Structures are given as structure tokens and as C-alpha cells.
């Protein structure tokens, strides 16, 4: 239901809509959303409604990071200054001569957004809102460099995101505002791609959602029906389809695909021109745009003999680095029933094994979780946490009372997941006998 529908609805229809929104309101509270809108969105007449909806999301306890673009505003500034900047692959070559115009345009948009989020007029949707908006040098950048023989000069790419600082501001109930600029360790300013700032920030902060407000309302199939849900892999055909005609749309689709593959479970494509798009997408069952998610295309399950080849491909690189103990094909085949896997379209993305440990005397029923591995392309996702949780539930169903892990490299990750540091003496006697003192693994344990 958009805002126009709501103004024409009866009180009973409004109450019905509000009641059905309650589960979404509860689900989104204290979640972190990154919302990107380009410079065209800022210029659009609907932008004031977007600001009102952002204020509404903030009032509902959603932690917000806003990322704005500035391409048309930069173009206007450069035109006034009679400066031309070339483009290559739809990316601006930012010359030193043009940098002041770029900074002026970006700064003006930041001030505009801060001013609009500070409005508190009576009889307006912002009345009574108290919103603190924080901007800062959260993005460290590096030169985009020379590509295809073209020197992009002061065009840059994201090197790192100061997630600790951003988290502190979100914890203080501030909205964080980022623009298409970053700073080098030597004090230079770089002009960045808005899509990259939004994507890398969402990945670094492990946002719950990444929302793109663009010119297109979403993706359509060959019958011009809106695709409500699509996987990251299915985006390939649309990226190829729009490659020549709509390079900016392709850039956004690629950013959405990268975010989805790097662990952002929900990426949304919405139109900035659609009044109430944010509210409709987030608080109604059907939404109004396209959501990219791999949630329905993956399966967490116990492994079977057909998974051995995929397990070998996943484990061998880690074994060669000494992170995991070598397991032969024969051993994997004999222990396959101990393994859980995350599989998508025939590809093993993650695995872990649960080995019950024989108990003697009054020892607690224990098990060891071993061989936790995630495909390199998905290391920054939550697949490791997902499969660990799956095996913890499996252990509980078997009456296991405590879990152990032995690791040489990743103890901190297990500590973050509720384990505590232990010693070899804490291991059940049956497992102590098999401890490899030459490997000198750290021991962690967790009561369940």
C-alpha cells in the first residue's frame, strides 16, 4: 500500500494494514540498513517523501546508513566552471582542475540532506522528530589508477571502511551519511563511485539490508512482469542484457550482485520516483520492487557420499596452508555422515563436522566441531555462523552437553560465537589421548 492508497483508505482498511505491518516493524527493529540514492534521486520531486520515510524508519528503531550520489550536481558545477572531464566505461576521470567542483557539489548535497532531516514543522511528517545526522571521514580511498591506458587521476576506489566509528554513531541512534568521496592516508580527496561506497560499507558493517533507490523500479522478465525475488546468479542475464544500453543500471546491478554474494542476505532494488517505496517494500508482504536473495537457493543439510568431491575442493587449499588437518578421500568417505554442508546449485559453499566424543565416568556428553570451512568467495558472509548454528542444534538433539573445537588460526572467531578458551586438560579423556602436541592447537569449549 503506497501513501496515495492510504490517504484514500477507510479507517478500517488502515487499521488492517497497520496490524499486518506489525511483524515487519518488530523484525526490522535494531537492524542495520544501508540506503543508497543517486544524485538524480536528490533532484526528484519525490525526494522530500523519501526523507520523510527515512525519518519514519529511524523512529521505528532501524539503524540507518545513507549513501548519496552526486553525478548530475557535479556535471552542473563543472558546466558553470567551464571544465570538461572525460568518462571511460561510464566512470569519470577526475582531474585536479575539477576536484573543487566535485567537492562543492558533494558538500552541497550533504548540507541539503542534513537540513531536510532536521525539519520539524508542525503539521508535517517530520514534526517532533529529533534526528542527529553524522558525516565524517569514514571512507579511506586509494587511486583507481590506470585502466585500459586511461589515468583516472583523482578518481578512487574504497580501500577501507571505519566500521568501528560507524557502529559507535549507530549505537548512539545517529543516522550516518556518506557521500561519493574518500580520503587517502596522505590527505588527498578522491571521487568515488556511489555504488561501491554503499556496497563495501554494507559488506564491512554486515548490514541486514542494502537498498538501492534508482531510476528503475526493479527487474522485469520477458513478459514485463516485475520480478519480486531473484538470486545473485540469476542477475548475470540482466547484466548482459543491459550492458550496452544502460551502463549505470548495470553498475548498480553488479554492486547488488557483489553485495549478495558477500553475505548481504537481502538487497532491494526500488524506484526513487515511487512515493512510499521504502515503506511499501519493507512493511508489506509483496513489496514494490525486486529483492536479491540467495536464501531460498541454498540448503543447509547433512552431507552424503555425492558431496565428497565438493568437500575435497573446499578443504584442500586450507589443508595445504596448514589451517586444517589433511583428510584423505577415503577418510572423508568413511566420515561423511559427520559432516554438514551448505550447498547451492550443486556447489558446496561451506562445511563443518560434528564428532561425538566417548564419555567415561562422570564426564559430560561432549562432541568436537571440526573442519569448519567456507568457500573463499563467501568468507565475509554469515555461512560459517550458519553452519555452526546448524551443528549446535544437531548436537542438542543428540543430547550433547558441551562442544569443543581445536584450532590454530581461528580461535577468535569461535570466541565471538560463544566459545571460551580452555586447555587440553579440559578435553574428555578419550580426546586427550588423540591430542597432537606437535600441532599445538588451542582448545575452546562451549556448554549447550
Amino acid at each position: 500500500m503506497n501513501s496515495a492508497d492510504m490517504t484514500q483508505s477507510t479507517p478500517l482498511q488502515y487499521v488492517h494494514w497497520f496490524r499486518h505491518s506489525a511483524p515487519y516493524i518488530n523484525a526490522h527493529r535494531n537492524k542495520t540498513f544501508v540506503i543508497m540514492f543517486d544524485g538524480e534521486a536528490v533532484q526528484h520531486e519525490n525526494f522530500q517523501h523519501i526523507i520523510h520515510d527515512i525519518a519514519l524508519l529511524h523512529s521505528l528503531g532501524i539503524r540507518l546508513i545513507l549513501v548519496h550520489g552526486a553525478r548530475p550536481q557535479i556535471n552542473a558545477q563543472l558546466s558553470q566552471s567551464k571544465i570538461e572531464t572525460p568518462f571511460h566505461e561510464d566512470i569519470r576521470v577526475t582531474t585536479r582542475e575539477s576536484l573543487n567542483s566535485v567537492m562543492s557539489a558533494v558538500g552541497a548535497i550533504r548540507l541539503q540532506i542534513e537540513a531536510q532531516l532536521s525539519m520539524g514543522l508542525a503539521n508535517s511528517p517530520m514534526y517532533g522528530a529529533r534526528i542527529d545526522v553524522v558525516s565524517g571521514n569514514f571512507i579511506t580511498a586509494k587511486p583507481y589508477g590506470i585502466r585500459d591506458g586511461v589515468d583516472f587521476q583523482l578518481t578512487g576506489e574504497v580501500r577501507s571502511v571505519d566500521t568501528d566509528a560507524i557502529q559507535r554513531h549507530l549505537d548512539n541512534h545517529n543516522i550516518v551519511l556518506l557521500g561519493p568521496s574518500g580520503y587517502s592516508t596522505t590527505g588527498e580527496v578522491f571521487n568515488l563511485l556511489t555504488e561501491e561506497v554503499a556496497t563495501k560499507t554494507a559488506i564491512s558493517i554486515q548490514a541486514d539490508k542494502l537498498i538501492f533507490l534508482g531510476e528503475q523500479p526493479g527487474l522485469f522478465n520477458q513478459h514485463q512482469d516485475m520480478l519480486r525475488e531473484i538470486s545473485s546468479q540469476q542477475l548475470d542475464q540482466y547484466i548482459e542484457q543491459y550492458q550496452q544500453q544502460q551502463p549505470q543500471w548495470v553498475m548498480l546491478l553488479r554492486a547488488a550482485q557483489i553485495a549478495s554474494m558477500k553475505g548481504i542476505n537481502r538487497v532491494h532494488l526500488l524506484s526513487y520516483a515511487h512515493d512510499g517505496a521504502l515503506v511499501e517494500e519493507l512493511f508489506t508482504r509483496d513489496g514494490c520492487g525486486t529483492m536479491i536473495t540467495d536464501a531460498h537457493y541454498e540448503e543447509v543439510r547433512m552431507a552424503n557420499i555425492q558431496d565428497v568431491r565438493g568437500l575435497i575442493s573446499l578443504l584442500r587449499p586450507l589443508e595445504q596452508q596448514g589451517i586444517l588437518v589433511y583428510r584423505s578421500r577415503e577418510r572423508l568417505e568413511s566420515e561423511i555422515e559427520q559432516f554438514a554442508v551448505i550447498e547451492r546449485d550443486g556447489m558446496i559453499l561451506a562445511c563443518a563436522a560434528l564428532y561425538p566424543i566417548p564419555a567415561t565416568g562422570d564426564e559430560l556428553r561432549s562432541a568436537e566441531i571440526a573442519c569448519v570451512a567456507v568457500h573463499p568467495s563467501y568468507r565475509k558472509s554469515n555461512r560459517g555462523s550458519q553452519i555452526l548454528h546448524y551443528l549446535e542444534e544437531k548436537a542438542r538433539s543428540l543430547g550433547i552437553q558441551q562442544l569443543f573445537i581445536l584450532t590454530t588460526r581461528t580461535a577468535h572467531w569461535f570466541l565471538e560465537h560463544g566459545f571460551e578458551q580452555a586447555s587440553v586438560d579440559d578435553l574428555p579423556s578419550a580426546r586427550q589421548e588423540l591430542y597432537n602436541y606437535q600441532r599445538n592447537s588451542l582448545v575452546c569449549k562451549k556448554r549447550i
Side-chain angles (χ1 to χ4, degrees):
M1 181 183 295
N2 61 34
S3 55
D5 293 332
M6 290 178 64
T7 57
Q8 298 169 7
S9 63
T10 66
L12 189 60
Q13 288 173 320
Y14 175 78
V15 169
H16 178 78
W17 176 85
F18 195 76
R19 284 173 176 164
H20 281 76
S21 299
Y24 300 101
I25 294 172
N26 291 327
H28 296 330
R29 186 175 291 115
N30 295 321
K31 296 297 194 297
T32 301
F33 296 176
V34 175
I35 302 176
M36 192 217 90
F37 42 85
D38 54 26
E40 288 81 3
V42 177
Q43 291 179 331
H44 197 273
E45 61 182 3
N46 189 52
F47 189 64
Q48 62 175 327
H49 297 137
I50 293 173
I51 290 291
H52 294 159
D53 290 344
I54 286 170
L56 173 62
L57 299 186
H58 180 262
S59 72
L60 293 174
I62 297 171
R63 297 150 60 94
L64 296 174
I65 302 169
L66 310 181
V67 184
H68 71 82
R71 179 171 286 196
Q73 291 85 351
I74 291 173
N75 289 341
Q77 285 277 355
L78 291 172
S79 178
Q80 287 181 6
S81 302
K82 295 182 170 52
I83 298 173
E84 293 186 3
T85 55
F87 284 81
H88 181 69
E89 299 289 339
D90 207 45
I91 299 175
R92 188 190 306 274
V93 175
T94 308
T95 61
R96 292 196 176 275
E97 182 188 24
S98 68
L99 186 61
N100 283 337
S101 296
V102 171
M103 293 173 62
S104 176
V106 172
I109 293 175
R110 176 176 61 81
L111 292 173
Q112 176 188 341
I113 294 170
E114 289 176 350
Q116 287 181 283
L117 282 171
S118 300
M119 291 188 303
L121 296 176
N123 301 318
S124 80
M126 297 288 289
Y127 179 67
R130 178 68 176 94
I131 300 175
D132 291 322
V133 186
V134 177
S135 304
N137 56 339
F138 302 119
I139 306 296
T140 301
K142 60 183 178 180
Y144 195 69
I146 299 172
R147 311 281 180 103
D148 300 326
V150 177
D151 185 354
F152 282 85
Q153 301 184 49
L154 291 177
T155 297
E157 56 185 341
V158 176
R159 167 171 277 171
S160 64
V161 179
D162 190 347
T163 55
D164 290 341
I166 291 175
Q167 287 285 14
R168 284 197 299 272
H169 289 297
L170 294 177
D171 291 341
N172 289 328
H173 309 292
N174 300 324
I175 290 179
V176 174
L177 178 62
L178 306 176
S181 58
Y183 309 90
S184 73
T185 53
T186 58
E188 286 185 298
V189 180
F190 287 98
N191 183 23
L192 308 177
L193 290 172
T194 312
E195 293 84 358
E196 188 197 16
V197 173
T199 301
K200 291 201 172 176
T201 300
I203 294 168
S204 298
I205 211 83
Q206 279 297 280
D208 298 284
K209 287 183 183 289
L210 172 58
I211 301 169
F212 292 107
L213 289 168
E215 183 179 5
Q216 306 293 333
L219 287 169
F220 295 85
N221 63 18
Q222 65 269 31
H223 306 296
Q224 292 305 300
D225 297 320
M226 170 76 74
L227 296 172
R228 295 301 183 190
E229 189 172 310
I230 189 172
S231 75
S232 59
Q233 289 181 325
Q234 290 174 310
L235 280 176
D236 286 335
Q237 67 183 86
Y238 296 95
I239 290 173
E240 184 177 350
Q241 177 182 335
Y242 295 111
Q243 187 76 50
Q244 301 300 324
Q245 297 86 358
Q246 295 176 277
Q248 279 191 272
W249 180 230
V250 167
M251 197 175 293
L252 192 148
L253 292 181
R254 281 184 174 147
Q257 185 178 52
I258 290 169
S260 181
M261 293 180 67
K262 292 289 187 179
I264 308 303
N265 292 327
R266 299 288 186 270
V267 182
H268 300 260
L269 305 177
L270 306 176
S271 168
Y272 59 69
H274 180 85
D275 186 9
L278 281 169
V279 175
E280 191 173 345
E281 180 73 5
L282 296 173
F283 300 106
T284 65
R285 187 183 305 277
D286 296 327
C288 65
T290 298
M291 180 172 70
I292 297 109
T293 176
D294 288 336
H296 300 303
Y297 299 89
E298 293 182 8
E299 181 184 9
V300 187
R301 57 173 173 79
M302 297 307 292
N304 57 56
I305 198 67
Q306 284 76 33
D307 297 318
V308 171
R309 177 177 294 187
L311 286 173
I312 291 173
S313 298
L314 183 63
L315 298 176
R316 284 295 179 265
L318 296 172
E319 292 169 351
Q320 290 166 2
Q321 296 172 46
I323 297 173
L324 295 178
V325 175
Y326 173 76
R327 285 170 170 79
S328 66
R329 173 183 284 273
E330 292 74 21
R331 182 179 174 185
L332 285 172
E333 289 176 352
S334 66
E335 297 179 351
I336 194 66
E337 293 181 357
Q338 314 301 133
F339 278 81
V341 296
I342 297 179
E343 180 254 338
R344 185 178 71 193
D345 295 335
M347 178 182 177
I348 303 297
L349 301 184
C351 74
L354 179 71
Y355 296 99
I357 303 172
T360 59
D362 58 354
E363 288 180 345
L364 296 176
R365 296 190 64 183
S366 304
E368 179 184 354
I369 288 181
C371 210
V372 179
V374 180
H375 189 280
S377 298
Y378 299 89
R379 293 267 167 81
K380 292 187 177 180
S381 71
N382 67 344
R383 270 82 175 188
S385 303
Q386 195 175 347
I387 202 162
L388 180 62
H389 177 72
Y390 180 84
L391 284 185
E392 288 181 1
E393 292 300 313
K394 175 75 172 176
R396 287 189 184 95
S397 71
L398 296 174
I400 302 298
Q401 297 168 286
Q402 66 179 347
L403 295 171
F404 288 90
I405 62 97
L406 282 76
T407 179
T408 58
R409 306 271 188 101
T410 57
H412 67 282
W413 186 84
F414 287 98
L415 295 175
E416 291 170 359
H417 286 77
F419 284 77
E420 59 184 34
Q421 197 160 341
S423 68
V424 176
D425 293 335
D426 293 314
L427 290 169
S429 55
R431 185 62 181 87
Q432 285 186 41
E433 295 172 2
L434 300 175
Y435 182 80
N436 186 342
Y437 283 90
Q438 186 175 1
R439 186 169 171 80
N440 197 29
S441 299
L442 294 172
V443 178
C444 297
K445 68 178 181 179
K446 180 179 183 179
R447 289 291 297 269
I448 59 173

